[in-house]
C-alpha cells in the first residue's frame, strides 16, 4: 500500500482551494485532489446505496474519502459520551495508601532537630530593627484604628424643598367613576324601567355595546333590595382599569404659524415683470383663440373665431393686415428662425404657410425665393398629407403653401431651427401627430400606435426631444433614437397646454382642473410643484425666452405672472414665486383668457381673450 502523507505541515488547507493539487507527498510530488464531480443527486444515491456511507469521512489533508475502522468508530462514540479515549484505562481502580492510618511507635525518620529551629532568627531581628527605625523617623505611619460605627448620610439633604419631583409632575390622576344616576336607584321613575322588547334587545346585545351594564329594577323599600350579584366583578374591573389604564400626557408643540409659511422674496426684488395694461389690440369680432409673435418682437399675429387672422404692429397696436381664411383659426405659429418670414396657421383641415410680407423687404423676398427654389423629386412618395401650392388669388393674400390633412387640425408648432413643424389632428388613431419638413415638402407620422388623445406637442429648444401631452401624461420621445425617454405623471385630470423652459430641463403644464404643474425633468417624473392660483380652468401657459418668468391664462379672466428662477447649480431647486395678477379681459360665454405669450426680448406679456381683444401688459 503506498504511503500518501501530505507534507505541507500545519497550514490552512483553504490556501490550496484554487489549485488542482492539495500538497506534496514524502517524495515531494504533488498530491492531486480526487475528482469531485458528484452533484446532489449522486450524493443522495450514494447515501442510500452505500452501506458504509455513515462511517466515511473526507480527509482534509489529502482530500480522499476514508472509511473508519470499528476501533475508530468506538473511539468517536466514547469521546461523544465523555469517556476516556483509551479502552484499557480504568478511572475507578483502587487507590494505594502510602501511609497507614494506624499510629506506629517508630517515626518515619529519626533525624535530630536543627539548631535553627529553637534559636531566634538573626535575619528577622535585622528586619524588625529596620522597621522600628523607620517608624521612629516617621517614614512609616502605623495603621489607624478602624472606626466600626456605621455612617449614615441624608439622601435628600441637597433637594430643594419646593421643587416638584418628576413623578409628581407627570402624575395623571385616575379617571373618576361615573356617579350612579336615576336608573341605578332601587325605586327608579317608571320611564327608566325597560319594557319587554327593550329587555330582549338588551339581552341580545354584546356586553361591550350595551348602554347600561345592568337592568334597572324596582323594589318597594330598601330592605327588600338583595345583595348585588356583580359587586365583586365590578370592583375587579375597576382595579384593572386603575392599573392597566394607559395614561399618557400629550406634549403640545408650540409653533409660530408664521414659521410654517416658506420665506419667499418680495415681488419688488424680482423685477422686471409686467404689471400694467399698456395696449389693447381691437378689431376681432369673436373670441381670439391664439397668438404668436415674430422672432424680432416687432409683429404680432392673432387668430380668431371670426375666420380671420390679423397682423399687428406690437408698439402701436395698429392692425397691419387682415387675412380672411374661411374657417375658425385654432392655432398660429410664427417661424422662430429670424432669417425666414413665415407663419403657420391651422384652419379646419389644413395648415396654411403664410408670408405676411411685413418688415424688411429683403427678408420676406428671400423667404419667397427659398420656397420657390423647391424641386419636386422624380418619384411620387406616399405621404399622410398633401402639399398644395397656393393659387394666384391666395398668393396675393400672402398664402404660399397649403398642407391638407384628413381631419381638423388643432395645433401647429415649429422646431427651433425653423425648417420642421409639427401638427396635431383631432383624431383617435395613430395619425394624431405629424411632423413636416418645409424645405423638402415632406411629412411623416412618427407614431405607430395611439397612446390616448393628444392635447398638444412641443419640440425641445436644444436637444432632439419631442414632448407629447395627452390628457393625463406628458411623454418625452428621443427623435434620434426613436424611443420613449420619459413619461411624466401630471396629477391633473385633463392637460390643456404646456410650455418648456428655454434651458430645456423644466416644463410647465396647465390643466382644465385649474392646476399648473411644474416639472423638473432631472428630478422626477412627478410634478416638482403644483400651483393652484387660478379659480377656473387654465387655457394657456408660457415661458419667457430670457427672463425668469412664466405666465398662465385662465377662464377666470386673469393672467398670473410668476417668477420661475432655474439655477445653474444642479443641487438648488427652482424658485417659484407668483408676482402679479393681471386683469382686464371681460368674461364672455364663461371663457376668459384663451392664450398667453411673452415678448421675445422685453418683459412684456400678450394675452388674447374671449372678449375679442388682445392685450399687452408691460
Amino acid at each position: 500500500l503506498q504511503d500518501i502523507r501530505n507534507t505541507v505541515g500545519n497550514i490552512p488547507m483553504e490556501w490550496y482551494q484554487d489549485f488542482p493539487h492539495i500538497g506534496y507527498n514524502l517524495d515531494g510530488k504533488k498530491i492531486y485532489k480526487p475528482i469531485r464531480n458528484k452533484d446532489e443527486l449522486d450524493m443522495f444515491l450514494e447515501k442510500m446505496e452505500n452501506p458504509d456511507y455513515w462511517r466515511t469521512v473526507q480527509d482534509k489533508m489529502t482530500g480522499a474519502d476514508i472509511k473508519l475502522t470499528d476501533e475508530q468508530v468506538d473511539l468517536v462514540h466514547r469521546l461523544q459520551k465523555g469517556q476516556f479515549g483509551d479502552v484499557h484505562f480504568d478511572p475507578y481502580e483502587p487507590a494505594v495508601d502510602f501511609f497507614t492510618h494506624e499510629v506506629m511507635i517508630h517515626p518515619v525518620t529519626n533525624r535530630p532537630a536543627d539548631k535553627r529551629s529553637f534559636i531566634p532568627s538573626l535575619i528577622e531581628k535585622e528586619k524588625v530593627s529596620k522597621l522600628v527605625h523607620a517608624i521612629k523617623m516617621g517614614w512609616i505611619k502605623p495603621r489607624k484604628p478602624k472606626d466600626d460605627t456605621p455612617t449614615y448620610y441624608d439622601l435628600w439633604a441637597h433637594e430643594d424643598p419646593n421643587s416638584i419631583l418628576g413623578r409628581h409632575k407627570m402624575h395623571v390622576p385616575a379617571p373618576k367613576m361615573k356617579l350612579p344616576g336615576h336608573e341605578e336607584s332601587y325605586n327608579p321613575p317608571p320611564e327608566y324601567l325597560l319594557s319587554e322588547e327593550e329587555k330582549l334587545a338588551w339581552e341580545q346585545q354584546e356586553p361591550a355595546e350595551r348602554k347600561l351594564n345592568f337592568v334597572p329594577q324596582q323594589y318597594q323599600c330598601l330592605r327588600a333590595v338583595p345583595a348585588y350579584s356583580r359587586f365583586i366583578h365590578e370592583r375587579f374591573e375597576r382595579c384593572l382599569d386603575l392599573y392597566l389604564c394607559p395614561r399618557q400626557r400629550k406634549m403640545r408643540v408650540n409653533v409660530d404659524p408664521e414659521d410654517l409659511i416658506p420665506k419667499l422674496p418680495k415681488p419688488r426684488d424680482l423685477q422686471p415683470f409686467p404689471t400694467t395694461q399698456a395696449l389693447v389690440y381691437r378689431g376681432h369680432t369673436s373670441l381670439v383663440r391664439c397668438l404668436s409673435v415674430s422672432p424680432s418682437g416687432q409683429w404680432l399675429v392673432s387668430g380668431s373665431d371670426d375666420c380671420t387672422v390679423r397682423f399687428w404692429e406690437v408698439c402701436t397696436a395698429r392692425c397691419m393686415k387682415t387675412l380672411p381664411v374661411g374657417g375658425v383659426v385654432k392655432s398660429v405659429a410664427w417661424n422662430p428662425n429670424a432669417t425666414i418670414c413665415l407663419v403657420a396657421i391651422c384652419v379646419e383641415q389644413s395648415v396654411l404657410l403664410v408670408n405676411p410680407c411685413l418688415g424688411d423687404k429683403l427678408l420676406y423676398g428671400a423667404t419667397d425665393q427659398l420656397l420657390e427654389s423647391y424641386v419636386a423629386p422624380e418619384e411620387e412618395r406616399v405621404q399622410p398629407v398633401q402639399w398644395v401650392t397656393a393659387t394666384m388669388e391666395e398668393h396675393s393674400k400672402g398664402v404660399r403653401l397649403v398642407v391638407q390633412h384628413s381631419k381638423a387640425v388643432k395645433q401647429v408648432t415649429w422646431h427651433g431651427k425653423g425648417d420642421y413643424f409639427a401638427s396635431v389632428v383631432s383624431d383617435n388613431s395613430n395619425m394624431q401627430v405629424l411632423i413636416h419638413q418645409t424645405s423638402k415638402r415632406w411629412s411623416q407620422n412618427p407614431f405607430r400606435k395611439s397612446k390616448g388623445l393628444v392635447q398638444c406637442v412641443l419640440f425641445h429648444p436644444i436637444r432632439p426631444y419631442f414632448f407629447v401631452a395627452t390628457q393625463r401624461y406628458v411623454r418625452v420621445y428621443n427623435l434620434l433614437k426613436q424611443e420613449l425617454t420619459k413619461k411624466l405623471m401630471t396629477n391633473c385630470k385633463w392637460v390643456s397646454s404646456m410650455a418648456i423652459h428655454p434651458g430645456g430641463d423644466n416644463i410647465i403644464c396647465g390643466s382644465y382642473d385649474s392646476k399648473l404643474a411644474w416639472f423638473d425633468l432631472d428630478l422626477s417624473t412627478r410634478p416638482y410643484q403644483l400651483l393652484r392660483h387660478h379659480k377656473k380652468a387654465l387655457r394657456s401657459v408660457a415661458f419667457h425666452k430670457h427672463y425668469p418668468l412664466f405666465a398662465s391664462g385662465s377662464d377666470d379672466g386673469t393672467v398670473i405672472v410668476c417668477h420661475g428662477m432655474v439655477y445653474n447649480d444642479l443641487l438648488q431647486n427652482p424658485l417659484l414665486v407668483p408676482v402679479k395678477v393681471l386683469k382686464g379681459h371681460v368674461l364672455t360665454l364663461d371663457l376668459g383668457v384663451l392664450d398667453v405669450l411673452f415678448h421675445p426680448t422685453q418683459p412684456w406679456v400678450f394675452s388674447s381673450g374671449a372678449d375679442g381683444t388682445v392685450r399687452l401688459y408691460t
Side-chain angles (χ1 to χ4, degrees):
L1 185 76
Q2 84 186 88
D3 179 16
I4 300 181
R5 236 176 290 173
N6 198 348
T7 58
V8 289
N10 186 15
I11 60 158
M13 294 315 286
E14 295 91 69
W15 293 355
Y16 281 98
Q17 70 186 17
D18 293 335
F19 294 100
H21 62 291
I22 200 163
Y24 304 90
N25 61 13
L26 293 170
D27 303 331
K29 301 258 170 51
K30 290 181 180 178
I31 300 174
Y32 286 96
K33 295 179 188 170
I35 295 164
R36 291 201 169 272
N37 52 6
K38 291 182 185 171
D39 58 6
E40 297 276 335
L41 194 60
D42 293 335
M43 303 278 274
F44 177 71
L45 288 173
E46 191 184 2
K47 185 175 174 179
M48 288 295 146
E49 291 164 5
N50 183 359
D52 292 329
Y53 179 82
W54 64 275
R55 62 158 72 188
T56 308
V57 292
Q58 186 193 348
D59 182 3
K60 285 258 174 63
M61 291 293 278
T62 60
D65 284 340
I66 295 174
K67 183 177 147 193
L68 298 181
T69 61
D70 290 349
E71 293 84 47
Q72 287 168 325
V73 173
D74 279 350
L75 175 64
V76 171
H77 284 322
R78 278 202 305 284
L79 291 177
Q80 279 178 336
K81 288 181 188 161
Q83 295 169 353
F84 288 92
D86 186 2
V87 193
H88 307 297
F89 178 74
D90 179 13
Y92 304 118
E93 61 187 20
V96 178
D97 266 343
F98 293 105
F99 290 98
T100 56
H101 56 278
E102 293 131 11
V103 181
M104 305 226 172
I105 54 169
H106 297 294
V108 176
T109 66
N110 205 1
R111 204 164 63 90
D114 284 321
K115 181 181 177 181
R116 63 165 178 257
S117 67
F118 51 83
I119 282 180
S121 164
L122 287 173
I123 295 167
E124 277 184 15
K125 179 183 162 188
E126 218 169 76
K127 273 190 181 170
V128 170
S129 65
K130 272 186 183 169
L131 287 170
V132 168
H133 179 62
I135 289 171
K136 276 184 184 166
M137 297 298 286
W139 300 335
I140 293 180
K141 296 272 190 295
R143 280 210 190 97
K144 280 184 190 163
K146 256 195 178 172
D147 190 16
D148 285 343
T149 54
T151 54
Y152 302 108
Y153 62 96
D154 185 2
L155 192 61
W156 315 109
H158 304 297
E159 280 286 328
D160 176 13
N162 301 323
S163 69
I164 303 169
L165 293 178
R167 56 166 191 229
H168 295 149
K169 188 165 69 187
M170 292 309 287
H171 174 66
V172 181
K176 297 259 194 304
M177 278 187 81
K178 201 169 107 310
L179 292 174
H182 291 310
E183 65 275 6
E184 294 182 62
S185 162
Y186 72 93
N187 189 6
E191 63 265 23
Y192 284 98
L193 294 172
L194 300 184
S195 64
E196 287 300 319
E197 295 96 49
E198 286 174 327
K199 238 182 218 171
L200 265 173
W202 183 87
E203 278 162 8
Q204 280 161 7
Q205 269 177 327
E206 291 288 321
E209 289 174 0
R210 295 171 178 167
K211 273 189 186 171
L212 298 174
N213 51 6
F214 61 92
V215 180
Q217 283 174 309
Q218 192 170 27
Y219 297 100
Q220 290 307 308
C221 57
L222 199 49
R223 274 202 322 274
V225 178
Y228 182 39
S229 59
R230 286 175 49 82
F231 175 71
I232 295 201
H233 187 95
E234 278 192 6
R235 290 293 89 200
F236 179 67
E237 295 258 297
R238 173 68 179 161
C239 291
L240 284 186
D241 281 351
L242 287 181
Y243 100 91
L244 290 178
C245 165
R247 298 200 274 282
Q248 78 182 66
R249 200 174 276 259
K250 292 271 190 294
M251 302 303 281
R252 273 197 62 195
V253 185
N254 291 323
V255 178
D256 185 16
E258 293 297 315
D259 298 345
L260 297 174
I261 299 169
K263 294 272 180 286
L264 291 177
K266 292 198 168 59
R268 71 159 176 270
D269 303 337
L270 304 175
Q271 282 169 338
F273 55 83
T275 53
T276 48
Q277 180 177 305
L279 291 171
V280 182
Y281 303 76
R282 297 186 194 277
H284 284 296
T285 54
S286 181
L287 30 128
V288 185
R289 276 193 191 276
C290 46
L291 292 173
S292 187
V293 68
S294 67
S296 62
Q298 191 181 354
W299 315 105
L300 176 74
V301 58
S302 61
S304 164
D305 278 18
D306 60 8
C307 305
T308 62
V309 173
R310 285 177 183 259
F311 294 90
W312 313 84
E313 190 174 18
V314 167
C315 319
T316 58
R318 176 168 158 231
C319 179
M320 306 297 289
K321 244 186 172 183
T322 304
L323 175 66
V325 288
V328 169
V329 181
K330 286 283 170 65
S331 171
V332 292
W334 205 298
N335 193 317
N337 189 337
T339 59
I340 299 173
C341 185
L342 258 190
V343 180
I345 301 169
C346 290
V347 182
E348 289 172 349
Q349 296 195 2
S350 45
V351 176
L352 312 180
L353 295 181
V354 175
N355 183 348
C357 302
L358 293 172
D360 188 350
K361 193 162 188 191
L362 287 172
L363 189 68
Y364 63 75
T367 305
D368 277 355
Q369 279 174 354
L370 190 71
L371 290 173
E372 281 158 15
S373 67
Y374 166 74
V375 180
E378 278 89 42
E379 53 190 71
E380 193 66 35
R381 291 177 296 183
V382 179
Q383 296 195 45
V385 298
Q386 280 184 312
W387 291 73
V388 182
T389 317
T391 59
M392 286 306 290
E393 183 193 349
E394 288 175 329
H395 195 283
S396 61
K397 292 181 187 171
V399 181
R400 298 292 181 260
L401 286 170
V402 181
V403 186
Q404 292 175 349
H405 293 62
S406 54
K407 297 265 175 77
V409 189
K410 60 182 178 186
Q411 191 218 350
V412 62
T413 178
W414 286 94
H415 184 265
K417 295 270 196 315
D419 187 17
Y420 288 89
F421 66 93
S423 60
V424 181
V425 179
S426 305
D427 186 6
N428 276 351
S429 68
N430 59 345
M431 301 288 284
Q432 288 186 82
V433 181
L434 300 170
I435 296 180
H436 316 274
Q437 188 178 4
T438 320
S439 56
K440 295 187 178 163
R441 302 194 187 174
W442 161 245
S443 304
Q444 57 191 6
N445 166 22
F447 299 116
R448 273 204 302 274
K449 56 176 188 271
S450 162
K451 296 274 194 195
L453 202 58
V454 176
Q455 300 302 311
C456 52
V457 295
L458 265 181
F459 287 99
H460 192 285
I462 355 179
R463 290 197 278 282
Y465 289 142
F466 189 54
F467 295 85
V468 178
T470 55
Q471 281 187 14
R472 295 261 178 121
Y473 304 104
V474 176
R475 291 178 171 81
V476 186
Y477 293 94
N478 187 326
L479 293 171
L480 282 182
K481 294 183 182 169
Q482 301 187 358
E483 63 182 19
L484 177 68
T485 325
K486 272 199 180 97
K487 181 177 170 186
L488 309 177
M489 326 274 177
T490 58
N491 292 4
C492 304
K493 290 203 178 70
W494 194 310
V495 174
S496 64
S497 51
M498 69 174 161
I500 185 157
H501 189 271
D505 285 335
N506 295 272
I507 71 167
I508 51 176
C509 293
S511 73
Y512 291 123
D513 48 358
S514 58
K515 286 190 274 207
L516 184 145
W518 173 295
F519 291 92
D520 190 332
L521 296 181
D522 298 336
L523 197 66
S524 164
T525 56
R526 297 192 175 276
Y528 160 65
Q529 249 181 326
L530 268 178
L531 306 177
R532 298 181 177 81
H533 299 316
H534 285 289
K535 303 279 184 297
K536 289 189 182 169
L538 270 82
R539 292 272 167 191
S540 174
V541 290
F543 267 113
H544 198 288
K545 277 235 175 64
H546 304 294
Y547 290 97
L549 295 173
F550 65 97
S552 55
S554 160
D555 279 348
D556 56 13
T558 62
V559 174
I560 293 185
V561 179
C562 299
H563 175 89
M565 188 66 190
V566 175
Y567 298 96
N568 291 335
D569 175 15
L570 290 174
L571 295 174
Q572 203 165 355
N573 286 337
L575 171 74
L576 313 182
V577 186
V579 288
K580 188 71 186 169
V581 180
L582 301 170
K583 297 177 178 158
H585 285 285
V586 184
L587 290 189
T588 314
L589 307 167
D590 268 348
L591 297 173
V593 179
L594 298 177
D595 200 2
V596 290
L597 177 70
F598 277 102
H599 191 278
T601 51
Q602 301 291 337
W604 302 346
V605 68
F606 300 97
S607 67
S608 68
D611 54 359
T613 62
V614 179
R615 291 166 196 261
L616 168 65
Y617 299 92
T618 58

